[in-house]
Structures are given as C-alpha cells and as structure tokens.
Amino acid sequence: MSDGSSTEALTAILRTEIAALAPGDRLPSSRDLIARHGVGPVTVSRAIAQLAAEGLVVTRPGSGTYVADRRRASDEGAADTSWQTVALAGRAFDPGAADGPSEDLPPGTIALSGGYLHENLQPTRALGAALARAARRPDAWHRAPAAGLAPLRAILARQAGGTVGPEDVLVTGGGQGALSMLFRAMAAPGSPLLVESPTYPGALAAARAAGLHPVAVPTDGDGIRPDLLADAFAMTGARLLYCQPTFHNPTGTVLSPERRRQVVRVARAAGAFLIEDDFARHLGHGAPLPRPLIADDRDGTVVHLTSLTKPSSPSLRIGAIVARGPVMHRLRGMRLVDDFFIARPLQEAAVELLSTPAWDRHLRALATALRHRAATLATALGRELPDWTLACHPAGGLHLWLRLPAHLTDTAVADAARLHGVSLDAGHRYFPTDAPAAHLRMGFAAAADPAELTEAAHRLATATRTLGSP
C-alpha cells in the first residue's frame, strides 16, 4: 500500500472515531496509532495534519492531539476567540481615542469631531502634482536614508529655526508614530510622564501603550502653569514632559512668552526632556506665530515634533522629530528596529510640495478659511447656546473648547447631538485624570462649509433642549 493510500485510510478511520468523541477528548498517541494500525510515523503525522487542517483536531506540543470544538461561525455566529484573553494576559493595551478623520457617520451628519481638514480644504491638486513629479524621479523607488531624505530634512530644519540643522532632524511617518517612538525611546515602562490637563488623547494612548503613567499638570488661559509644573517634577521625579505650546489641542491656547521661557527652564532644572508637539505650526489663522521652543534651546532639553499631515491630508504621513545629543542617536537606532525608513515616494512628494509656491498659497488660503470658520461657529454657538462658555477664541488650530453648564454632562450632550445629526467630541477623554467639569471639543475644519457650522449650532441647541433644564 502506498504512503498516500495509507494516509487516506488512516484519516478516514480517525474521522469516524472523532465523530464519537466529545470536544476536548484526547486522541491516542502517535505510538499507539502506529501499533494499532500498522502504519509508519510519517503516515500518522500526515493524517493528523490533514485532520487539523479540516478543523477536526488541535495539536498541543508536549501534550497530544485533541478533538476540536465542532462549532462553526456559520452555525453559531462569530468565531470563539476567547482563548486570546488568556494568551494576552499581562499585555493590557488601551488604544484610547486619537483624532481620526470623521468616518462612518450617518448620512446628513455634520462633523464637528475628528482632527483633519475637510477634503475641500486640502491642497488636493498640489498634492497630486507633487506626487506625479516625485514618481518621475529615476531614484523614486530606491531605499531612503534611515534619517530621511536630505532635502526634506533641510526644509524641516529651516522651519524649526534657530541653529537647528538637517543633522538634527529625523523624518517620521506622521506625528502619531513619532509620539509612540518618543515615549518608547525616552522613558522606561512604569515611568511618570507629565502632561498638560487637558491634553491630546492620542498622546495619552501612546504613553500608556509604552507603559508610562501620565501625570496631570493644570493649565489656564496662558497654557501650562510653571509653578505647578515644578511641583510635579519634584513630587514625581519625572524626566519627561509632553506639551503643546502653540494652539494647544483641545483648548486652542498659546503658551505665553514668559511662560515659554519658564517651562523650558523648569524642565532643564529637573534634568528632564520637554517634548514640544508643534502639530499646529501650519494651522495659524493669519497672526504672527511664536518661535518653536526648540529654536532657542541649545542644550537638548527640547525635543520637537512636527507634522505635515494636519495642514494637508490624512494620507501625507510625513512628520519629523528634531533633537540633539544622545537622544537622537537612540531614535535613529529605534528607526532601524521599527521600520528601517519612511517610504521614499512619500518623502519625495513632500519635498516637491514644500518647494513650490503652491504650498505657501495653500497655507494663506487655509488660514483665511480656518479663521472664518472659527468665527462662524463661535458666533453661532454664542447665539444658540449662550450659557456655554468658550475657553478662548483661538488664533490657530482646528477646534473650539467649550465648558458646559453644571446640569449637563459631556456624554449626554454628545449622544443627543448625534441623534440630531451632529458628531462632536466629549471632553472627558482629554483629561489624564478626572475632568474638573464637563467640556466639549468642536472642530470647525471637518464640516463641508461654514453654513454647516451654523446649522450644527442650531441642531445642538435643539438636542440640548431634549435634556431638560436645571
């Protein structure tokens, strides 16, 4: 009898025996099967492999072969993956809720949620032209340097200002990936991380995924409070601060000039790094912008993070980390471990985009559009919901931050708003600890046009009335 026919015969016999067994019952050992059926070990191995492929048995190395659960997804709904809970024990991970595009919204919903531009605000034509030019380069598909293309690093270094040079720049796959890299590279799991309260929830998610423990430092209308920051460093022994000095997400505040100097001095005195998330550098509404903190830091205290994604398109996943000293050496080493380099065609397209007059024209037009949208939404909310308190009229960024009256909760308003065709962001997720009051974050860049923003405010007022009055 050939090996093939022996395998088929043994497989058929075992199928019959398995049908009479219960899930979890153990099959005879390979030695028993060899002796009982007069076949070789190769035949037994092939038969078991065939039965496993059919889903009739599961093999457990060092233990044996067992009858599989006969349930099928088509018979009883979703497959049973509950075993993974045990396998993943000790690897808890909370992805949080980062600022993503407003997707999967019911038809007719006005988007005040998310953290990206509506497609009619994106420089689609300039992006297409830049990508086409990049694709025609003879080396467009060559391997890129680990630190990024030299022309792109030179452009990003000039934007950072001061004495920053191309050697201080590491090109990254957008801002969120850069945050994840920084938190893993700069602090050991279990370490405290000082953050503004409130802050960007994507940073909280990335920090917790890296095993860090966010510690809240209060803010006011001028940004993070240096006096409480110094106390937090002293009490926790933290060696890392994450902050957004310019057009803070979600409040829209800008760290005052005096505090910009104080915060850097406090971090330096604590022997700590300051991660400056400058994601909104290109989202100003037309007024002069403060210099990045990195521009005036020569000692390596500040690690600067920037991104081209927010002012262009969610799919232009190009950002950069600017750093000096051993931390940059560590980050470049981590790049080689994580992903080797950022896709060259995307980097070439970024160089093309940033090197043309179309980019400057886009930023000027975007500033005008964002300023108008912010004013439109703020005015409409003031008229429709006068008892809601606007934190500030932002001079940049994509959002308004509002405090609700005491009788309302952010989740209740967000749920009611959704039922009335408006999506927005409940404020509690922006706080690393318990929120001191109910807030909402409302974006003005994801809606199709300013008229939708006015209509959204009207719908919100209607939705709020369904929740009753104090």
Side-chain angles (χ1 to χ4, degrees):
M1 184 179 291
S2 69
D3 288 343
S5 61
S6 297
T7 300
E8 292 173 3
L10 179 59
T11 302
I13 293 170
L14 292 177
R15 282 197 196 98
T16 302
E17 294 181 0
I18 288 169
L21 298 174
D25 285 351
R26 189 177 185 276
L27 269 63
S29 67
S30 296
R31 180 178 299 175
D32 290 342
L33 292 175
I34 291 170
R36 181 187 304 176
H37 299 284
V39 294
V42 173
T43 298
V44 171
S45 177
R46 289 175 176 171
I48 295 297
Q50 177 61 35
L51 294 170
E54 295 173 7
L56 296 177
V57 300
V58 291
T59 59
R60 298 171 185 167
S63 177
T65 303
Y66 297 83
V67 178
D69 191 334
R70 296 188 180 92
R71 291 180 298 176
R72 294 290 184 268
S74 59
D75 299 330
E76 301 186 28
D80 181 10
T81 58
S82 58
W83 64 271
Q84 294 186 6
T85 300
V86 177
L88 293 171
R91 301 174 181 84
F93 170 64
D94 177 8
D99 287 341
S102 300
E103 297 175 344
D104 302 323
L105 296 177
T109 300
I110 299 175
L112 302 186
S113 57
Y116 293 110
L117 302 176
H118 189 275
E119 60 185 24
N120 62 27
L121 293 177
Q122 298 173 20
T124 306
R125 183 174 298 178
L127 283 167
L131 190 59
R133 291 193 300 271
R136 290 195 293 268
R137 292 178 178 269
D139 56 352
W141 292 97
H142 290 184
R143 174 172 176 156
L149 298 182
L152 181 55
R153 288 188 288 125
I155 293 171
L156 296 171
R158 287 196 298 272
Q159 291 181 356
T163 60
V164 173
E167 68 280 1
D168 302 319
V169 177
L170 175 69
V171 177
T172 66
Q176 190 65 28
L179 270 180
S180 178
M181 176 186 288
L182 286 170
F183 290 149
R184 288 183 290 118
M186 299 177 69
S191 300
L193 166 70
L194 303 188
V195 299
E196 297 152 314
S197 183
T199 191
Y200 167 49
L204 296 176
R208 288 167 177 148
L212 308 186
H213 299 297
V215 176
V217 181
T219 60
D220 59 22
D222 289 322
I224 193 169
R225 291 182 51 181
D227 55 337
L228 298 180
L229 176 63
D231 290 343
F233 273 124
M235 292 176 62
T236 65
R239 290 293 181 266
L240 191 58
L241 163 66
Y242 167 79
C243 69
Q244 306 165 82
T246 305
F247 309 136
H248 174 268
N249 177 13
T251 66
T253 57
V254 176
L255 194 61
S256 66
E258 179 58 27
R259 286 194 184 182
R260 298 176 86 85
R261 293 186 290 271
Q262 290 176 343
V263 167
V264 175
R265 285 199 297 265
V266 169
R268 184 177 298 133
F273 287 104
L274 186 162
I275 296 176
E276 176 189 20
D277 189 347
D278 204 23
F279 77 99
R281 171 96 357 212
H282 300 298
L283 299 176
H285 296 176
L289 299 178
R291 284 161 60 90
L293 301 183
I294 187 75
D296 298 310
D297 172 57
R298 300 178 60 89
D299 301 323
T301 297
V302 178
V303 174
H304 180 83
L305 172 62
T306 188
S307 173
L308 299 178
T309 304
K310 295 292 187 183
S312 58
S313 163
S315 287
L316 187 61
R317 306 302 300 172
I318 293 292
I321 296 171
V322 181
R324 296 185 174 97
V327 67
M328 176 55 83
H329 179 75
R330 178 175 295 188
L331 290 168
R332 287 179 174 172
M334 184 167 285
R335 158 57 47 74
L336 298 177
V337 172
D338 282 355
D339 52 13
F340 296 115
F341 56 91
I342 303 302
R344 185 165 191 143
L346 206 56
Q347 292 193 63
E348 296 281 12
V351 172
E352 292 285 349
L353 179 67
L354 297 177
S355 301
T356 64
W359 177 244
D360 289 333
R361 288 197 299 270
H362 164 66
L363 292 182
R364 288 195 297 271
L366 180 61
T368 300
L370 293 179
R371 182 173 65 250
H372 177 56
R373 284 166 169 255
T376 298
L377 182 57
T379 299
L381 290 171
R383 180 177 60 251
E384 299 280 358
L385 295 156
D387 55 344
W388 292 17
T389 304
L390 180 63
C392 73
H393 290 273
L398 306 175
H399 311 100
L400 301 183
W401 180 245
L402 294 109
R403 180 168 176 164
L404 298 177
H407 70 283
L408 295 176
T409 66
D410 58 347
T411 52
V413 174
D415 291 343
R418 194 174 184 88
L419 292 176
H420 285 75
V422 179
S423 71
L424 43 78
D425 297 307
H428 68 270
R429 66 192 185 96
Y430 295 84
F431 291 90
T433 55
D434 294 336
H439 292 80
L440 294 173
R441 193 193 71 164
M442 298 187 195
F444 44 78
D449 53 50
E452 280 200 348
L453 299 175
T454 300
E455 172 62 18
H458 177 69
R459 293 185 188 182
L460 280 172
T462 302
T464 303
R465 284 194 290 271
T466 68
L467 301 176
S469 57

